[in-house]
Amino acid sequence: MGSSRGEFMISKRIACIGAGYVGGPTMAVIAMKCPQYKVNVVDVSEARIKAWQTDNLPIFEPGLLDVVRAARGRNLFFSTEISAAIRESEVIFVSVNTPTKTFGEGAGKAADLQYWEKVAREILRESGSSKIVVEKSTLPVKTAQTMENILNANGKKVHFEVISNPEFLAEGTAVKDLLEPDRVLIGSRETPQGFAARQEIVDIYANWVPKDRILTSNVWSAELSKLVANAFLAQRISSINSISALCEKTDASVQEVARAVGMDSRIGSRFLNASVGFGGSCFKKDILNLVYICESYGLQEAARYWESVLAMNEFQETRFVRTIIREMFNTIVGKRIALFGFAFKADTSDTRESPSIYVARKLLEERAFVAVTDPKALDNARIDLAGYKENLDFVEDPYEAAKGAHAVAIMTEWAMYRSLDWENIYRSMEKPAFLFDGRNVLNHEQLYNLGFNVYPLGRPPLKHF
Ligand code: NAD
Ligand code: UGA
């Protein structure tokens, strides 16, 4: 079987519906690693697809352009021809967005599955042969059941096997995470057809992922594991953030505490950096989803437990703004405050659920003048703050952003902020000059010696008065 494409025989045709942060990089890596497969990435958004066809990719991700260029036009194709891609593929990954529902039953908590269901119906309509449908989006446990019900309630003689293959990549490190994953999880029905479909997906990843890192499970465990992994990661951040508040009251240092705690091999050192709060498109959405699922099974105590992880995150954001206002003599009206960083983390242009959005809004409501700077995320920042017309400036150059400012607040841990000429920045600012380090990335003693009043997270402030 298979047809010839240049020097390779095409042995599998893969489609991916949804060319976003997950679909694009995931498929680019599969195509690069597997020249024997033809990979079609499709999306309803023409703008996104056009961008994938150029070197100005729609998302910023270190190393991604090289991966795309290695396969694009060879066995990796981006298009809006969704129907054609469905028809010609044996395996269809679905990586559309699954945001929190904003209306009706479960509003504010449950996952909004309308995009998913639309895709399922499109797959059903266009398919003339049996296919494996792979859930790449993060979905509530038991979604595969619904999908199977929709897909297999057809008069056609085609069968759909639904596989759960959740994605664990983090933004900013997507390429590395895909090339060297901690694990790949593939869940299927435990039937002969389910096992066969599972093996097909295992075979794709086995082209570059060591066998002992490819985990298989039943489909429900795979769906649930994805929500739980994000919930556990977020819970660690909320745990250390709660301790940062206590450290500020007790002269302890949250970094020293995190180090001491994290050196216990049972606890581990990662994801223990106190911050102004976690952001990103998924932690909040997936925890809300978990809470909703617990509630719908009558597990109120489990729901409240996970809800508290989000409450702690909100507390941390609110606390950060309150500290700014209180320490700047209880008024920031008319004061220029420079926000260094708007992306929800370093090395991405993504600002979804970024704590910077909340902080900027609160400062503007207090009638401060907010200058936003970020090396990659200014376009998104402009969209996020589109409702605010006054007292707001977007500046490429951090030195310009800080000029004449009363305060600088570090919001994103961009490496470049560590190597800025802080003496120069201090000179250009109003005095007393304040520095609020929402990521604990700067050398606080050095800044204090330059004249700044420094407010680290989870450590008593270093101030000159
Ligand atoms: P995204 O919004 O960047 O991309 C989703 C894409 O799907 C969009 O381009 C949209 O136009 C397209 N789409 C929506 N409906 C469509 C339809 N009917 N037909 C064709 N295209 C359609 O989202 P994302 O960040 O890539 O996330 C996708 C899923 O992966 C979500 O469930 C998310 O929870 C999960 N996830 C995301 C990350 C991450 O780092 N962003 C990591 C792991 C898992
Ligand atoms: C997260 C998970 O790490 C991925 O495994 C998962 O696939 C993904 O969500 C998803 O499902 O979307 P991501 O949101 O891209 O990835 O980035 P993270 O590195 O997890 O950071 C999330 C937020 O937590 C960021 O705002 C980051 O600054 C913050 N964070 C992280 C901290 O405040 N402290 C830490 O110690 C670590």
Side-chain angles (χ1 to χ4, degrees):
M1 66 175 251
S3 62
S4 169
R5 270 199 62 80
E7 56 193 295
F8 297 105
M9 294 290 284
I10 297 296
S11 61
K12 209 187 287 290
R13 287 173 187 76
I14 298 174
C16 176
I17 305 179
Y21 284 88
V22 169
T26 313
M27 292 301 124
V29 166
I30 291 180
M32 181 182 78
K33 288 290 182 186
C34 315
Q36 71 278 25
Y37 303 156
K38 182 178 174 192
V39 181
N40 267 318
V41 189
V42 291
D43 200 292
V44 281
S45 163
E46 272 186 37
R48 244 188 185 176
I49 289 299
K50 274 209 177 101
W52 280 113
Q53 290 163 341
T54 69
D55 283 354
N56 197 9
L57 302 182
I59 60 175
F60 170 71
E61 200 57 65
L64 180 60
L65 185 57
D66 292 338
V67 176
V68 170
R69 282 170 120 174
R72 194 171 53 194
R74 177 189 73 181
N75 63 329
L76 174 66
F77 303 92
F78 294 95
S79 92
T80 51
E81 301 288 316
I82 300 173
S83 309
I86 293 172
R87 279 197 299 271
E88 85 160 39
S89 305
E90 296 102 44
V91 178
I92 301 172
F93 284 83
V94 184
S95 183
V96 299
N97 34 330
T98 50
T100 305
K101 214 174 160 199
T102 54
F103 54 90
E105 188 67 20
K109 280 187 186 161
D112 183 348
L113 297 177
Q114 59 172 310
Y115 308 102
W116 235 97
E117 178 160 346
K118 199 162 170 269
V119 169
R121 291 184 188 280
E122 204 151 355
I123 293 173
L124 176 58
R125 195 172 51 244
E126 297 299 334
S127 296
S129 56
S130 296
K131 305 197 185 286
I132 298 172
V133 177
V134 186
E135 297 178 343
K136 195 43 132 172
S137 303
T138 303
L139 294 161
V141 58
K142 292 282 178 184
T143 304
Q145 177 84 65
T146 316
M147 290 306 137
E148 278 180 356
N149 291 345
I150 295 172
L151 289 168
N152 288 324
N154 64 71
K156 305 180 182 183
K157 282 205 167 52
V158 294
H159 175 76
F160 297 94
E161 201 59 43
V162 179
I163 296 284
S164 168
N165 171 220
E167 184 49 61
F168 296 102
L169 68 78
E171 288 177 31
T173 52
V175 172
K176 187 177 175 295
D177 294 342
L178 288 165
L179 289 173
E180 298 159 34
D182 283 354
R183 80 305 208 182
V184 169
L185 180 58
I186 300 167
S188 72
R189 287 274 193 188
E190 293 176 310
T191 59
Q193 276 171 315
F195 285 127
R198 179 194 283 193
Q199 191 56 45
E200 286 238 16
I201 308 306
V202 168
D203 290 345
I204 295 175
Y205 288 100
N207 281 288
W208 78 97
V209 180
K211 286 242 162 48
D212 60 353
R213 295 201 171 193
I214 304 180
L215 295 187
T216 55
S217 71
N218 80 35
V219 69
W220 322 125
S221 307
E223 287 179 333
L224 188 56
S225 300
K226 172 62 199 178
L227 294 182
V228 174
N230 273 357
F232 272 50
L233 289 168
Q235 182 242 37
R236 281 174 72 91
I237 302 168
S238 278
S239 295
I240 200 69
N241 280 346
S242 76
I243 299 304
S244 76
L246 186 57
C247 286
E248 286 167 31
K249 303 274 186 208
T250 57
D251 286 353
S253 151
V254 76
Q255 283 164 310
E256 288 177 355
V257 173
R259 187 153 185 262
V261 171
M263 276 179 78
D264 185 325
S265 60
R266 293 169 302 175
I267 296 172
S269 61
R270 297 181 67 189
F271 265 68
L272 287 181
N273 292 322
S275 67
V276 54
F278 59 73
S281 63
C282 293
F283 279 178
K284 185 174 173 192
K285 156 178 93 68
D286 292 348
I287 291 176
L288 286 170
N289 193 346
L290 188 61
V291 167
Y292 183 71
I293 294 169
C294 290
E295 281 173 353
S296 57
Y297 286 101
L299 300 170
Q300 299 303 336
E301 289 76 7
R304 298 294 81 78
Y305 175 75
W306 289 109
E307 218 164 38
S308 74
V309 171
L310 295 176
M312 184 52 59
N313 202 48
E314 277 166 30
F315 171 63
Q316 194 72 349
E317 292 174 344
T318 311
R319 218 166 66 74
F320 190 73
V321 175
R322 283 200 193 129
T323 304
I324 293 178
I325 298 169
R326 189 187 61 237
E327 295 299 324
M328 292 177 76
F329 316 116
N330 286 309
T331 174
I332 52 172
V333 177
K335 293 181 181 169
R336 183 179 176 93
I337 300 180
L339 296 186
F340 276 33
F342 210 81
F344 80 96
K345 63 186 279 197
D347 294 326
T348 177
S349 57
D350 196 347
T351 60
R352 291 180 289 179
E353 297 292 339
S354 175
S356 295
I357 301 174
Y358 171 86
V359 170
R361 285 183 182 156
K362 284 288 171 201
L363 297 178
L364 287 165
E365 281 163 23
E366 287 289 332
R367 303 199 182 160
F369 187 102
V370 175
V372 176
T373 181
D374 189 289
K376 293 284 174 198
L378 280 193
D379 287 347
N380 283 331
R382 283 192 186 90
I383 297 168
D384 294 328
L385 298 176
Y388 298 87
K389 302 288 172 227
E390 284 174 3
N391 297 335
L392 181 60
D393 204 1
F394 299 92
V395 198
E396 296 282 340
D397 180 358
Y399 294 100
E400 280 302 312
K403 203 175 275 173
H406 293 253
V408 168
I410 306 291
M411 302 301 298
T412 311
E413 71 283 19
W414 287 103
M416 65 176 287
Y417 296 153
R418 292 196 188 95
S419 50
L420 292 174
D421 180 349
W422 283 100
E423 193 171 357
N424 187 353
I425 290 176
Y426 177 74
R427 269 202 306 269
S428 76
M429 289 175 64
E430 291 286 328
K431 309 294 177 317
F434 292 86
L435 195 138
F436 301 92
D437 189 350
R439 296 287 181 170
N440 276 347
V441 285
L442 300 182
N443 184 328
H444 301 140
E445 276 70 23
Q446 216 171 56
L447 291 167
Y448 173 73
N449 290 334
L450 288 176
F452 280 103
N453 297 295
V454 186
Y455 296 80
L457 271 179
R459 264 185 68 189
L462 301 166
K463 43 187 188 179
H464 295 281
F465 46 81

